[in-house]
Amino acid sequence: VMHRPAKSWQIIESVLQEHARSIYRCLRRPATATAVRKFEMAIGCKLPKPLVASLLIHDGTRQDLVDGYSLLSAVEIRQWREICLDNPWDEPGPKFNDRKQIKGELRWRPNWVPIASDAGGNLLGCDLDPGPMGQRGQVFSWHNYGSPKPYVLAASYADWLDAIAEELLSRQFTLDEWGGIQLNRSLV
């Protein structure tokens, strides 16, 4: 079942309130439309509508949402993007990764937008410049040590957020000893 970000967030919030109140309390307030527009102007392109809609509901999380990853706020997205673009990681790589869905000749591409991070600096990104077999807005996993190579997790941000909501709704998760949510299906 496909949901819009608002419906996905309603499901996520409901499950968090029932099973993981500490995570629920760490959902940030909405980003402002002005902050999102400023970010889009800074990167020179529009973000996918589902990502914008999500930021306008919750501007990220103050702790891990699922599987050790925290959703980034609009400010953190900009900071992580600058770190990734300024880092001298650009070693020539294969032209494409993951069945030609992701362009791979640079370690981090200017039109990749970080959306979540873990404690090790690994990121989930939204790809605004995909390979010939990819889709604009696809969500991918990126590891700061370079291994494994980036790979697509979902065809869009809406699909990715929806998958998290569906996993939570169908109770396909466990709580770890710190109260964190570990999904049964890997979405990170």
Side-chain angles (χ1 to χ4, degrees), residues 24-63:
Y24 176 78
R25 287 190 297 270
C26 289
L27 297 175
R28 289 188 171 123
R29 296 170 103 39
T32 65
T34 302
V36 173
R37 276 194 306 278
K38 281 184 181 179
F39 178 70
E40 288 176 328
M41 288 176 21
I43 66 170
C45 66
K46 290 267 189 203
L47 296 173
K49 289 178 182 178
L51 176 56
V52 171
S54 182
L55 288 168
L56 295 176
I57 295 168
H58 290 293
D59 191 17
T61 58
R62 289 188 299 275
Q63 76 176 47

Side-chain angles (χ1 to χ4, degrees), residues 6-7 59 73 96 101 112 141 143 158 161 168 183-184:
K7 180 63 175 168
D59 191 17
S73 68
F96 299 107
Q101 294 180 89
W112 287 355
S141 182
H143 298 268
L161 192 64
L168 293 175
L183 298 176
N184 293 352

Side-chain angles (χ1 to χ4, degrees), residues 11 14-15 18-19 165-174 184:
I11 292 168
S14 174
V15 174
E18 183 180 343
H19 296 283
E166 289 297 323
E167 289 295 296
L168 293 175
L169 183 63
S170 60
R171 306 302 191 256
Q172 298 298 310
F173 65 91
T174 56
N184 293 352

Side-chain angles (χ1 to χ4, degrees), residues 140-179:
F140 66 95
S141 182
W142 180 88
H143 298 268
N144 71 3
Y145 297 108
S147 181
K149 296 288 185 207
Y151 55 92
V152 174
L153 296 167
S156 69
Y157 183 87
D159 289 350
W160 178 75
L161 192 64
D162 184 56
I164 290 173
E166 289 297 323
E167 289 295 296
L168 293 175
L169 183 63
S170 60
R171 306 302 191 256
Q172 298 298 310
F173 65 91
T174 56
L175 294 174
D176 63 26
E177 61 268 29
W178 302 283

